[in-house]
Amino acid sequence: MDISSIVSVDALGKPCIGNSPKELFAFGHLIRETEKLILELFGRGLVSGTTHTCLGQEICQMSVVRALNDPDDYVLSNHRNHGHFLTYSGDCLGLVAEIMGRQTGVCGGYGGSQHLAFRNFHSNGVQAGMTGIGVGLAHALKSRSSRGIVAIVIGDGTLGEGLLYESMNLASIWNVPVLFVVEHNGIAQTTYTRDTIGGDIVARGLAFGLSAWRLSDRDEDFSAQVERVVEDMRESRRPGMLVIDTGRMGPHSKGDDLRDVDERDEITASDPLKALRARCAADDVKAIESACQVFLAQVEKAAMESPLAGFDQPPEHSFKPALQIDCPAADSSAANVRLALNDALGKLLEHDESVVLLGEDLHDPYGGAFKVTVGLSDKYKHRVVSTPISEAGITGAGIGLAMAGKKPIVEIMFADFLTLCMDQIYNHAVKFPGMFVDSAVPIVIRAPCGGRRGYGPTHSQSLENIFISVPGLDRHLWKSSTQNRPVADQCLSLLAESHTFP
Ligand SMILES: Cc1ncc(C[n+]2csc(CCOP(=O)(O)OP(=O)(O)O)c2C)c(N)n1
Ligand SMILES: [Mg+2]
């Protein structure tokens, strides 16, 4: 679908939106009209489920994504993602068709409004769920000396999620180029965030040692200010936090707005898109609005003509061939499970530079609570990483590393604490290959379980039954009572196969 009557695109398909009122208005208007079309399609019964529009927040949503101009940059978004997605991809048809559940949708009609993907853009509907993943992606960028930045966009209500703080801490100690963008519209669904956020927002970023900024999309110079933030990040390669004050003009999703009319009128009166329109020449406005109308009529027609996604068939892209690591056999004479694992991990680190070990207390001379990594951190200093006590955060970081081509092996000190990783496994790792056409998540999560050592009810459980019910998860259980040869061999082949699914 040719968008050139509204904006030019670069070689990767990303819209090139300049800083003039005319260019900002043209693209902001396209986002608004696309969302109005989506709402209209809902009204006509052509879409089921729900959607979250960014009406009133278009300029805010465009700002950071617009300024990201390196091919390695990533954008991780959330439920309110249409503005981010369109600014990154320019793909109006892909968005409209996706929400309509049509095959031309960017995710083949399987994702819907909250789950969009295009190149390095991914969105998911679990609040803060993408934050650890973003840190992992940034870690991978740093390890290959890329100039890329990862922008993770959350709403202000999401400041209540604990994983966010694990992720900010990881970003800080690893000193990776992640920008946490908080779209501060003062509300989360129907709850005012002044009633749910304690203390100061920017101070949260500063407390973790992040660079921090607070801007308003009502400011005339806003888009240029955001560009400077991104440039600063690009140069410093340090993590940062950007809080953007904005205003949600529409309901949370559809029909759920408890705010009174006066309050909504006030937000509409300060609409930054309207302010930009007023700064454009009348002829330009007319041309932009008419080009947009023509273009969206074409989008609607093409979306309507696209066949519905076939929900009776699983998406084929979920089942990619496994990647392989060329690695010699493990030491079959290892005296016990620990030594067999140590040998297998050592061989993997030696034979594939993309293998990374994350876990608590892995460093030498300690070598992990069960001594599985002894000798490895001394030898592979930057690839055997002792982490904070942040099980969800490091699982998320592992997913991000895996998405960026690494082969992470995350050690959870005791299997009991896999419960803390559950959302990252259940709602992220195993779903991404099905949700996002080009995503593989070759992560291995390893944890000792079972007891008989007197560790008690929170350190001795066997939780395999929980994971049996996780679709898309390969499960392997090795018993220390079995011979060690199969343990070593299985460990090596499991890790070496580097599965699409974890
Ligand atoms: C972990 C989680 N809890 C609850 C929800 C349901 N939910 C979806 S959006 C939302 C409000 C989010 O508010 P905010 O972060 O301020 O973003 P905004 O909608 O204002 O852009 C809630 C509670 C969710 N998607 N994920
Ligand atoms: Mg909000």
Side-chain angles (χ1 to χ4, degrees):
M1 183 80 26
D2 185 12
I3 199 173
S4 61
S5 60
I6 296 159
V7 70
S8 60
V9 296
D10 69 14
L12 294 167
K14 186 168 185 281
C16 308
I17 310 163
N19 221 351
S20 66
K22 182 179 158 189
E23 287 165 283
L24 292 169
F25 171 69
F27 206 79
H29 180 71
L30 176 68
I31 296 173
R32 182 163 298 180
E33 293 304 304
T34 305
E35 290 202 311
K36 283 193 191 162
L37 170 63
I38 291 165
L39 292 176
E40 197 210 310
L41 293 166
F42 265 103
R44 282 156 52 194
L46 290 165
V47 185
S48 57
T50 193
T51 194
H52 309 86
T53 64
C54 67
L55 298 175
Q57 298 187 198
E58 295 88 350
I59 303 303
C60 166
Q61 293 222 328
M62 281 163 61
S63 62
V64 172
V65 185
R66 189 187 70 85
L68 294 173
N69 52 16
D70 189 289
D72 266 358
D73 290 335
Y74 280 86
V75 179
L76 302 185
S77 176
N78 53 50
H79 61 293
R80 200 174 303 287
N81 56 9
H82 302 164
H84 309 136
F85 174 77
L86 289 176
T87 309
Y88 188 86
S89 71
D91 189 2
C92 287
L93 174 58
L95 174 66
V96 173
E98 183 63 36
I99 294 175
M100 293 175 78
R102 308 276 171 150
Q103 289 178 19
T104 8
V106 272
C107 294
Y110 288 101
S113 170
Q114 301 186 63
H115 313 115
L116 305 172
F118 174 76
R119 258 185 21 85
N120 288 349
F121 179 100
H122 297 95
S123 63
N124 201 17
V126 181
Q127 303 310 315
M130 303 294 270
T131 55
I133 295 169
V135 176
L137 288 168
H139 192 292
L141 290 179
K142 181 176 175 175
S143 75
R144 58 171 203 257
S145 303
S146 160
R147 298 261 306 148
I149 294 173
V150 180
I152 306 169
V153 193
I154 58 168
D156 49 343
T158 302
L159 292 165
E161 288 288 355
L163 176 59
L164 170 65
Y165 301 103
E166 292 187 17
S167 305
M168 286 166 75
N169 187 48
L170 285 170
S172 177
I173 57 169
W174 290 346
N175 196 26
V176 291
V178 173
L179 182 61
F180 294 91
V181 182
V182 182
E183 297 185 336
H184 181 257
N185 58 12
I187 195 156
Q189 204 146 332
T190 62
T191 304
Y192 291 107
T193 51
R194 60 174 180 255
D195 298 329
T196 59
I197 299 174
D200 185 82
I201 299 176
V202 175
R204 285 163 162 77
L206 296 173
F208 282 104
L210 273 52
S211 308
W213 301 267
R214 185 162 190 160
L215 301 173
S216 165
D217 68 3
R218 267 61 183 163
D219 197 318
E220 242 187 46
D221 194 33
F222 168 68
S223 296
Q225 291 167 357
V226 173
E227 265 177 32
R228 289 196 283 277
V229 168
V230 170
E231 275 161 26
D232 188 309
M233 290 273 308
R234 183 94 60 212
E235 287 314 309
S236 73
R237 319 300 304 146
R238 284 175 28 74
M241 180 192 205
L242 169 63
V243 181
I244 303 175
D245 293 314
T246 184
R248 193 189 84 195
M249 264 166 42
H252 168 65
S253 50
K254 290 197 289 70
D256 48 355
D257 202 339
L258 306 180
R259 298 173 297 179
D260 65 32
V261 179
D262 288 350
E263 188 181 348
R264 279 185 273 157
D265 284 351
E266 207 176 301
I267 294 169
T268 306
S270 63
D271 174 14
L273 189 61
K274 199 169 72 183
L276 274 169
R277 187 180 189 275
R279 290 167 63 201
C280 296
D283 284 354
D284 287 340
V285 169
K286 208 169 149 195
I288 288 166
E289 291 179 346
S290 114
C292 201
Q293 202 176 7
V294 171
F295 175 68
L296 286 176
Q298 292 165 359
V299 167
E300 181 183 349
K301 183 166 181 292
M304 295 288 284
E305 283 169 5
S306 170
L308 282 168
F311 294 107
D312 49 342
Q313 301 274 329
E316 276 178 23
H317 58 259
S318 306
F319 306 102
K320 294 183 168 203
L323 310 164
Q324 294 288 335
I325 302 178
D326 188 15
C327 188
D331 179 4
S332 55
S333 63
N336 55 40
V337 175
R338 179 182 74 76
L339 291 173
L341 284 167
N342 181 271
D343 177 63
L345 294 173
K347 286 204 164 68
L348 286 162
L349 284 159
E350 185 184 343
H351 286 271
D352 192 328
E353 289 207 343
S354 61
V355 171
V356 183
L357 270 53
L358 301 179
E360 293 153 21
D361 287 288
L362 299 192
H363 52 262
D364 288 314
Y366 191 63
F370 294 96
K371 311 295 172 216
V372 167
T373 53
V374 165
L376 299 181
S377 80
D378 276 350
K379 204 161 169 195
Y380 304 99
K381 199 160 173 278
H382 299 294
R383 292 197 286 136
V384 180
V385 182
S386 276
T387 67
I389 307 166
S390 301
E391 284 77 9
I394 62 173
T395 305
I399 296 169
L401 284 162
M403 289 170 76
K406 300 283 181 184
K407 300 194 179 81
I409 300 165
V410 176
E411 175 176 317
I412 300 299
M413 197 185 271
F414 290 87
D416 310 68
F417 310 136
L418 284 167
T419 52
L420 295 163
C421 317
M422 200 58 180
D423 173 63
Q424 289 298 302
I425 297 172
Y426 204 97
N427 277 322
H428 296 79
V430 298
K431 287 185 184 164
F432 283 3
M435 279 165 56
F436 306 141
V437 178
D438 293 324
S439 289
V441 186
I443 185 175
V444 172
I445 302 171
R446 196 184 63 72
C449 72
R452 299 194 181 210
R453 293 190 54 164
Y455 288 156
T458 63
H459 289 70
S460 304
Q461 300 164 95
S462 297
L463 301 179
E464 304 88 272
N465 60 328
I466 294 178
F467 295 95
I468 297 293
S469 65
V470 181
L473 187 71
D474 279 352
R475 293 154 292 258
H476 297 257
L477 179 66
W478 302 313
K479 290 195 178 153
S480 56
S481 56
T482 56
Q483 284 182 344
N484 293 322
R485 172 169 190 145
V487 170
D489 288 350
Q490 282 180 34
C491 176
L492 196 63
S493 68
L494 168 63
L495 302 179
E497 270 173 28
S498 192
H499 293 243
T500 298
F501 289 147

